[in-house]
Amino acid sequence: MYQETPRVELTPQAADLVRRLRASHGPLMFHQSGGCCDGSAPMCYPDGEFRTGGSDVLLAELEVEGVAEPVTFWMSRSQYEVWSHTRLIVDVVPGRGSGFSLEAPEGVRFLTRSRVVDA
């Protein structure tokens, strides 16, 4: 049986952090813009706190073990046009980003790694 490669996935470390953030903040969402600096990193918000619209693409509804609802992953349409042939892997690295992402007080930040997929 053919199984499609997921467009977005979480590393085990990112999934652990999502579970902790969900316990503290409720349902979550990610948004990755095409901005400069941390704007190109995935930002994690309480679900619905970041307003999405026609300039955004819903790439995934991530199922995370231990989290009751899917975690949506949005990307700005302009960023998606550049990354449309990649699989995005959300990871966690030490350090603090300069955005409003929920993990900032944890001393870590989300980071997107990518792998080219067959077009």
Side-chain angles (χ1 to χ4, degrees):
M1 178 198 261
Y2 172 77
Q3 186 172 12
E4 185 178 332
T5 301
R7 296 302 314 258
V8 182
E9 64 184 77
L10 301 173
T11 64
Q13 295 82 4
D16 286 343
L17 182 54
V18 165
R19 282 188 282 277
R20 290 197 316 269
L21 294 173
R22 168 60 175 91
S24 297
H25 301 281
L28 304 172
M29 67 179 291
F30 281 100
H31 187 273
Q32 182 158 335
S33 73
C36 68
C37 310
D38 280 349
S40 58
M43 299 289 176
C44 184
Y45 302 101
D47 188 38
E49 185 172 300
F50 187 92
R51 293 186 68 144
T52 57
S55 63
D56 300 295
V57 176
L58 176 61
L59 290 184
E61 293 183 347
L62 301 166
E63 299 289 336
V64 181
E65 186 177 334
V67 175
E69 64 287 317
V71 178
T72 56
F73 190 99
W74 296 84
M75 179 178 276
S76 71
R77 189 169 301 282
S78 61
Q79 181 93 341
Y80 175 73
E81 290 172 7
V82 175
W83 290 30
S84 63
H85 299 295
T86 61
R87 177 170 44 128
L88 305 178
I89 303 153
V90 179
D91 201 359
V92 175
V93 295
R96 181 179 157 101
S98 62
F100 298 102
S101 195
L102 291 174
E103 80 281 4
E106 305 280 326
V108 295
R109 63 186 180 92
F110 287 109
L111 173 78
T112 300
R113 302 177 192 282
S114 63
R115 291 214 170 86
V116 175
V117 296
D118 294 331

